[in-house]
Amino acid sequence: MQTTPVIQQYLDIKANHQDSLLFFRMGDFYELFFSDAEIASDALNIILTKRGQHKGKDIPMCGVPFHSAESYIKKLLDENIKVAICEQLETPQEAKKRGYKAIVKRDVVRIITPGTKLEESFLIQKENNILMAIFFFDNVWSSCWIDISTGLFKSSITDESQLLSIIDQISPNETISYKNSKELNTLTLSPINVTWLEKKKDFSRDTLIDFLSPFFDPGCLQKLNTSLLGSICLIVEYLQKNKNLFLEHYNIPEQIELSHIMSIDPSTRKNLEINSSLDGEKNLSLLGVVDKTCSLPGSRLLKRRLNAPSTQKDQILKWQRKVTEFYYNFQTTEQIRTLIGKFPDTERALSRLIRLGPNPKDLLSIKKGFSIFFKLKEEIKLFKENSISLEKVSEDKIKNVLDELVLAIEEEPPLTTKEGGFIKENFSDQLHKIKLIEKKANSNLLELQKIYSEKTGIKSLKLKYNNVLGYFFEAPISHKNKLLEDNEFFHRQTTANTIRIKSISLDQLEKTALNARNDALELEIKILEELHKKVLNISKDILFLSRKVSSLDVCSTLGYIAKLYGWCCPLVDDSKDFIVKDGRHSVIEKTISNKSLNSFVPNDCSLSSNEHLWLITGPNMAGKSTFLRQNAHIIILAQIGSYVPAKKAKIGIANKLFSRIGASDNISKGQSTFMVEMLETSNIIKNANEKSFVILDEIGRGTSTFDGLAIAWAIIERLLRNNKSRTLFATHYHELTELENENSKIRNVSCEIKEWKDEIIYSYKVIDGKSKGSLGIKVAELAGFPKDVTKHANALLRKFQEKEGNSSVVLEEDLEKEGLLKIKGDLESIDLDTITPLDALNILFRLKNDI
């Protein structure tokens, strides 16, 4: 059977989009065929049917309604499936003008991937949606990332050791890279999903600059590293291929110097619960505590800052001064935050206008955003640090566009432009005249209904409208003969219960009304397009204003929560000091407060170049891990310009933050809990330096006592001797406390506990000196161990303690000696003259297992 023209058209278009599901527009539906239909049917749980045949086989087909396609596309994107949107480029009537058998022209207008989403329903409103390119050239790694939904566009150069950290910090929704051996070897070992692109040409510096010159200033391009040019080129090429390239609204991507932001590796970010708790809860994370922002752009900016604290003192102090100004002007801060709370998501509204075309709803967002911005500017004019300068933008041009939008756009425009009504009638004299004609015609239509109802005596005669018949009169079927006997009426349609008629007078009024309606809609669309162009002409100014509001939102939020939670302003400098008085864990303090429990117990911490490692001992549940995390959180908050949860603090800037906390394995890579611990610790001792801040919790616990103690001891000595990082080291190996006597840089502290009537009382206070013991059996009792088990454990403990004090090392030696003596006895009992070879092998096998 011959392939139909429509299916052949589908096959021709699909041939150029093999890596995407092709949503092929057919009237009011998007239809999918062949393997695309089978994939979509399974992923979307929709019925798979068939349409005709191709090469003698049935063609699988499924479809989704055009008006509700977004929800289906979102499901596919969530599963990392790309979608190519193929639209009808003309109406069937226009196609017929080219010939009776001509089919409607169709083509792909946009390819939607996880990193190029724009629609509100596709996006997480408080998070950026990032497309990131990774490029390797001439032994240099570079990255470029863009959020086409907000205008964020940045790049950086990195070394391989920092590559995963920068990817984790940016948290891209889609990562792309060329399928070269180096990229494949490095990125396939990482936990990220990569879209691999085939390299079509050999890159040189000149070819990269030639490719990018139409989009960016060639002079600026000449200043960039060749690898950096490559990652930018990769982004541009990918957006171009996916029909998402609108770079006239962008400057060249901002280059981020990675030494200017704190390095936080993926395991540290996860263990410190910066963005979400280990259970995936945002509310129980550091971000959950500080994100009291009032606008969506502000929330996204705060998350970016929290994940990339600055290492530049001037920048930190500048942010801190802005926060302080809000802190000390609390009443004005509340007024400003109320205004910011009304600020719409102008970044994403503008991006939709740029890429998806004119839309009254998004133009209304821009209008509201402008209005609120100028109110904010007025409200904050008495502030010194947060005052807004508009030197970089054309204020008059912005205000002119704002004035037009205020006069033109209805306050509650319809969701679509199909029916009109989104432009204010009095904005245009011409539109006003057309609307008057339409209103007069509509009034005459209602008057005609009244006349006909009185003439015929049919009180139930109704004026109605549909897309097929236009305007018509409808009456119950019982009045059919009376109406058809009147020569003024002519029959149009009969249903089971009604008769529908028209008249010459009705046709004339209908023509007047519909012509006026169509003329008004055409004029409204024309006005909308003109306003759209004017807004796009100041797109960079709009982004500038939006980012000013975002910054105000972040700084006012940090000032607000500092006042609300009783935080202090830290002294930030370039020293090696980390001195905190009465520090608290912000997340736990908030949780305790919400549950109306006892107040959080604060603790001091004092690290410096003279004493930069605290060895923390104490029983389980006494607060060691909390103490570690709260100090890491404090240093993060200090370096985003925030106040910190403490009574007083002096923070020497950290260039890198490392943590090894908690037990986890990586089954997919065949890595045990201990192996993961060793890999993460190895990363720390290889990369930490004297400007770093390190927290380590119970290193070495996943192996034998001898091995674990030896590893922990060696790590401490390495940190003291080579890395010289400020370090908090929590452990159950009490033998390590002897190191304080050998090195003045180390200090023993412990989590205080008290015993009363054979019960443990936790004070959660960190005090000088080493702990009395781990009290593991007491903790087991609290966990609900059966009494016979804990009773037996206590008896064994007393036995071991009587033997050699309280040393787990001696216990290990005793157990090993006992095992060797047993093996010796077994060997001495063997009669070598009578044993068979098979018995010898069995004994050898058993002895090996015993060892």
Side-chain angles (χ1 to χ4, degrees), residues 215-475:
F215 309 107
F216 306 112
D217 178 6
C220 293
L221 294 173
Q222 290 287 353
K223 299 175 184 177
L224 298 182
N225 173 280
T226 304
S227 180
L228 200 60
L229 290 169
S231 62
I232 299 170
C233 179
L234 181 51
I235 284 275
V236 172
E237 187 179 42
Y238 191 70
L239 291 176
Q240 196 173 47
K241 178 186 175 185
N242 291 343
K243 303 181 188 294
N244 277 303
L245 192 66
F246 296 88
L247 291 179
E248 62 270 24
H249 303 281
Y250 288 81
N251 293 318
I252 196 165
E254 177 189 356
Q255 187 173 349
I256 302 299
E257 179 59 57
L258 292 187
S259 64
H260 291 177
I261 61 175
M262 183 193 289
S263 173
I264 306 175
D265 62 66
S267 63
T268 298
R269 200 180 309 276
K270 177 184 176 183
N271 290 334
L272 293 180
E273 300 176 305
I274 295 174
N275 299 307
S276 64
S277 69
L278 296 176
D279 295 330
E281 291 286 335
K282 177 187 171 181
N283 288 339
L284 299 177
S285 68
L286 181 58
L287 179 62
V289 171
V290 298
D291 190 5
K292 298 293 183 286
T293 50
C294 302
S295 70
L296 294 173
S299 182
R300 293 192 291 265
L301 176 61
L302 178 59
K303 184 175 181 180
R304 293 198 300 272
R305 282 195 188 168
L306 196 66
N307 281 274
S310 177
T311 59
Q312 303 303 292
K313 186 175 77 170
D314 289 346
Q315 178 64 76
I316 295 168
L317 295 180
K318 180 181 177 182
W319 286 337
Q320 195 182 86
R321 288 193 298 271
K322 289 176 179 287
V323 171
T324 297
E325 199 166 44
F326 285 113
Y327 179 88
Y328 284 109
N329 294 275
F330 197 71
Q331 188 174 350
T332 306
T333 296
E334 289 186 311
Q335 294 169 357
I336 289 168
R337 284 171 56 76
T338 299
L339 266 179
I340 294 173
K342 299 174 184 177
F343 189 75
D345 198 344
T346 51
E347 291 178 345
R348 283 186 165 159
L350 178 63
S351 287
R352 286 191 294 270
L353 289 169
I354 289 170
R355 290 171 171 79
L356 303 180
N359 181 293
K361 181 185 172 186
D362 290 328
L363 285 174
L364 181 66
S365 290
I366 299 298
K367 185 203 85 171
K368 287 182 177 178
F370 278 159
S371 300
I372 290 167
F373 174 82
F374 286 110
K375 288 178 184 176
L376 275 171
K377 185 173 181 291
E378 188 66 22
E379 191 76 38
I380 211 164
K381 65 181 181 181
L382 296 178
F383 279 28
K384 178 183 176 183
E385 299 295 337
N386 288 285
S387 61
I388 299 172
S389 169
L390 295 181
E391 292 178 1
K392 295 182 179 179
V393 299
S394 174
E395 187 171 355
D396 289 340
K397 190 183 290 187
I398 292 170
K399 286 185 174 178
N400 289 338
V401 174
L402 171 59
D403 290 342
E404 280 203 66
L405 291 174
V406 168
L407 292 172
I409 302 295
E410 288 284 359
E411 288 302 316
E412 294 183 9
L415 295 176
T416 69
T417 58
K418 287 183 179 180
E419 302 299 323
F422 44 86
I423 299 296
K424 291 179 181 176
E425 185 179 319
N426 58 4
F427 177 72
S428 159
D429 290 340
Q430 185 183 355
L431 181 61
H432 180 63
K433 290 176 183 177
I434 296 170
K435 287 286 187 180
L436 285 177
I437 294 170
E438 183 183 2
K439 287 175 184 176
K440 178 65 175 172
N442 288 334
S443 176
N444 290 339
L445 284 168
L446 293 174
E447 183 63 27
L448 187 62
Q449 176 193 355
K450 185 178 178 182
I451 291 170
Y452 284 163
S453 182
E454 291 176 354
K455 177 183 177 182
T456 60
I458 304 172
K459 293 182 178 180
S460 56
L461 187 75
K462 302 293 182 185
L463 178 69
K464 292 194 173 182
Y465 178 87
N466 66 32
N467 290 329
V468 176
L469 299 180
Y471 283 104
F472 58 88
F473 290 111
E474 183 178 270

Side-chain angles (χ1 to χ4, degrees), residues 187-203:
L187 295 178
T188 49
L189 296 174
S190 73
I192 61 171
N193 291 319
V194 179
T195 299
W196 297 106
L197 306 178
E198 296 292 339
K199 188 177 178 183
K200 296 179 181 178
K201 54 192 173 187
D202 289 328
F203 288 109

